[in-house]
Amino acid sequence: MPGGAQRITAPAAIRTAYRPDIDGLRAVAVLLVVIHHAFPQSGGGFIGVDVFFVISGYLITGILAGDIRQSRFRLAGFYARRIRRIYPALLVVLLASLLAGWFLMLPNELATLGRHVAGGSGFVANVLYWLQSGYFDRQAELQPLLHLWSLGVEEQFYIVWPLLLAGLMRLPPHRCLQAVGALLLLSLLGCIVVSEHDLSAAFFLPHTRFWELAAGGWLALQQAGQRPAADGVPATGTGRWPQHAASVAGLSAIGLGAVLIDRHSAFPGAWALLPVGGALLLIQAGPAACINRHLLARAPMRWIGRISFSLYLWHWPLLVYGRIWLVGEPDWPQRLALVAVSVLLAWLSYRWIETPFRSAPTRRAPRPWSPGPVRFLAGMMAATFCAGVVLHLARGYPDRMPDKRDYIAFFDDYRYTRTHDLLRFDHHECNFYDIESGRAKTAIAATCLRPAAAHRRSVLLWGDSHAQHLAYGLDRTLPADVALLHVGASGCPPNVDDVHPDPLDSCNRANRLAWQAIGELHPDVVMLAQQGGHSITQYDALIARLHAGGVAQVVLIGPVPHWQPFLYQVVLKKYWQATPAQIGSNLDPAMFGLDAGLQRRYAGMPGVTYVSMIGPLCHDGACLAYLDGDRKEKLMTYDYAHFTLPASEFVVRTVVYPAMSGLLN
């Protein structure tokens, strides 16, 4: 995070004047993040956080090293400076988010915000998001404080780092460097290993991010032992060209990471070496290197770098509240306007909130914790923490919306899945992903692939949760002599071969067993269904292998309408007074184009029946929202696209079974 100090004054550490290029590097980092959040299709701009980590580790370690070498290091003083640096702007953003949430959020959303305010003010947001991450964590774009996970990682690092560094600096300098290097390599190795098995843990938890901050610290310590040069950075004795080369290579590595890394990458893992290595190269190159001097040190970049901390804090809540206010995704001019407002608020925060607290005298009182700004800020943060806890325990004060309270309680927090026993009706015993624990199963129930003696024919349902939500309807619609076999894993589409990465190995287990069952049971029909990503699934290869394996008929289920946000929230926020049966707003337009493309490709293909869900459920851009005049029990979906039980039966009876009934004769 852009929370490190920018001036290192310890003569025994790195004696350097203000580095304008580091402010410019901050600008690169925050612009990557803001652009990615405003325009998610722009690439992997979230790697800007990794650049921030390196900058923070470099600058803070330089300060700590100087204090330790001069025997003036005090832990209380260090944390007092951190409080002055971090708390003022953070407090304003937390309180502004609470105020906006009170007026714009539903009770369940406000209760979640309260938990996140408590996590953000306690600097454990990363742990909270890790604990709640998983299959149902689809509304991240509606969580205004999601970005505070990085502050949690950084402050957890600085709980350990000052004392660890003080101990290591008792060693000879080269031994200290070796020890820090060994620790960061150990953390890097752990990051790579954990990323292969649990991306959420690798992304959010501090031990897999330790190496990124420690890498900046290692560079600061390494430079501390070098002879200062005239330009303010340690001399390498090898001339300017290596500095220019390092500068170009550093920016190229960051740019390459932003282009190549996306939400599907096994990140952080080894991918994080690109932004971290790039940031290290740019810092090492020094202010006289070509990129540093002619790009990073330019006045506009320096200005953005100075407001980068506040800009990071403000931009994401504004984008989220824009979605909440509009009950949908803002268009690109609206997003640009929200980013512009973020910049304005960031400048105001920097000028009138950050700077006054950071510039206030710090040595008038004998102790850093004596009455004054630090104690005031700490007290305010504690009060904010308590406010978040109260808001969460009060469930977002549902009495604010008495006419909507029961409807909200029916759907919020995926309560529908529990009150209507979807674990049973959606055949989750056949799901290799355990919804309740968030872990993979080693096996599924034997009954999932065991037809009864009375069954003369069989249908194998294979896919992710969008196969599972058809199970109830198929159970109630298929003839008595047709066995419904079922295998799959939430979040895992059917595939010909193993997929990588597969952190839980649930996808590969499900697909291997599906192919095994097809070879042994020879189902009459194989039905393929998945949530999204139809355009990249190897359907041609799947169909060819199924036909080659003796499956005569393949039923390919198309994408269902996707609501943004959840359908019940659309009803509450836009159509509460009068809810039309067909709603034409807040639908993901990509599903319409995807359905049309799949129809063109597979309609009429021998041995394949394509079942469009968009065609029967949607007309003129509006899709069926509920059945039989009941917008509660018979709402079509309980979230963004998963069918309720009545919808599952309706869709199978009126759409799916009529398309496939002839295949079973």
Side-chain angles (χ1 to χ4, degrees), residues 123-444:
F123 297 98
V124 291
N126 57 319
V127 178
L128 281 183
Y129 289 119
W130 169 63
L131 290 173
Q132 75 177 44
S133 64
Y135 180 66
F136 286 136
D137 184 28
R138 291 193 55 87
Q139 287 198 299
E141 71 276 6
L142 296 178
Q143 296 175 0
L145 302 177
L146 177 65
H147 62 322
L148 298 188
W149 73 267
S150 61
L151 274 181
V153 169
E154 188 176 7
E155 296 314 307
Q156 289 155 27
F157 174 81
Y158 289 124
I159 290 174
V160 176
W161 186 243
L163 292 177
L164 178 62
L165 187 63
L168 292 176
M169 288 187 66
R170 294 177 180 273
L171 301 172
H174 70 285
R175 295 296 185 192
C176 177
L177 271 178
Q178 290 171 353
V180 172
L183 288 172
L184 76 87
L185 287 175
L186 186 63
S187 173
L188 170 59
L189 180 62
C191 176
I192 294 171
V193 172
V194 174
S195 295
E196 289 294 321
H197 302 283
D198 190 344
L199 277 178
S200 179
F203 192 90
F204 286 120
L205 295 184
H207 63 283
T208 53
R209 296 288 193 159
F210 176 98
W211 69 277
E212 300 184 31
L213 291 123
W218 182 91
L219 180 59
L221 293 170
Q222 188 266 340
Q223 289 185 344
Q226 296 181 13
R227 173 176 53 85
D231 59 8
V233 296
T236 61
T238 55
R240 294 290 187 190
W241 281 109
Q243 293 176 275
H244 297 322
S247 178
V248 172
L251 188 63
S252 299
I254 294 172
L256 196 63
V259 171
L260 296 181
I261 299 169
D262 60 27
R263 62 190 300 268
H264 302 292
S265 303
F267 191 86
W271 281 109
L273 287 166
L274 283 173
V276 172
L280 288 172
L281 285 169
L282 281 164
I283 295 172
Q284 171 66 21
C290 55
I291 297 295
N292 301 52
R293 181 175 182 179
H294 298 295
L295 174 63
L296 300 182
R298 292 286 184 182
M301 297 294 284
R302 298 199 309 272
W303 184 79
I304 296 172
R306 284 195 291 271
I307 68 168
S308 60
F309 179 55
S310 285
L311 180 55
Y312 182 86
L313 290 178
W314 279 112
H315 82 282
W316 180 248
L318 281 172
L319 289 169
V320 169
Y321 279 117
R323 295 186 184 102
I324 293 172
W325 173 263
L326 296 169
V327 196
E329 190 67 32
D331 58 30
W332 70 265
Q334 291 168 329
R335 279 178 274 176
L336 283 177
L338 289 169
V339 170
V341 174
S342 301
V343 173
L344 174 61
L345 289 174
W347 177 79
L348 292 172
S349 295
Y350 173 76
R351 176 64 182 85
W352 299 107
I353 299 171
E354 286 190 65
T355 302
F357 275 98
R358 214 169 7 164
S359 303
T362 60
R363 299 190 180 278
R364 290 182 180 176
R367 290 174 294 130
W369 286 94
S370 49
V374 171
R375 183 166 291 183
F376 168 76
L377 291 169
M380 285 294 295
M381 192 64 78
T384 303
F385 173 86
C386 293
V389 171
V390 169
L391 204 57
H392 175 65
L393 294 177
R395 300 188 62 81
Y397 291 97
D399 289 341
R400 293 179 303 127
M401 303 176 179
D403 58 326
K404 301 176 179 179
R405 180 174 52 199
D406 292 342
Y407 191 84
I408 294 168
F410 189 77
F411 290 106
D412 80 319
D413 195 29
Y414 282 91
R415 186 173 287 113
Y416 182 91
T417 66
R418 300 185 292 276
T419 58
H420 290 71
D421 200 9
L422 292 198
L423 288 180
R424 176 164 64 96
F425 289 122
D426 282 0
H427 294 184
H428 278 277
E429 72 275 11
C430 306
N431 184 357
F432 269 95
Y433 179 83
D434 189 328
I435 295 291
E436 294 179 304
S437 70
R439 299 181 180 277
K441 300 175 186 175
T442 56
I444 59 174

Side-chain angles (χ1 to χ4, degrees), residues 528-540 543 556-560 590-605 608-614:
L528 307 175
Q530 64 189 77
Q531 178 267 333
H534 299 71
S535 58
I536 60 174
T537 297
Q538 300 173 332
Y539 280 126
D540 289 349
I543 292 166
L556 177 56
I557 305 295
V560 303
M591 297 301 109
F592 292 82
L594 185 57
D595 175 67
L598 289 169
Q599 284 198 72
R600 288 192 299 269
R601 178 71 182 92
Y602 295 105
M605 178 179 286
V608 178
T609 299
Y610 178 72
V611 180
S612 170
M613 295 291 200
I614 298 293

Side-chain angles (χ1 to χ4, degrees), residues 92-113:
V92 172
V93 171
L94 289 173
L95 294 173
S97 297
L98 280 174
L99 183 64
W102 181 268
F103 291 104
L104 296 177
M105 286 182 159
L106 299 174
N108 57 310
E109 296 171 325
L110 188 60
T112 300
L113 176 65

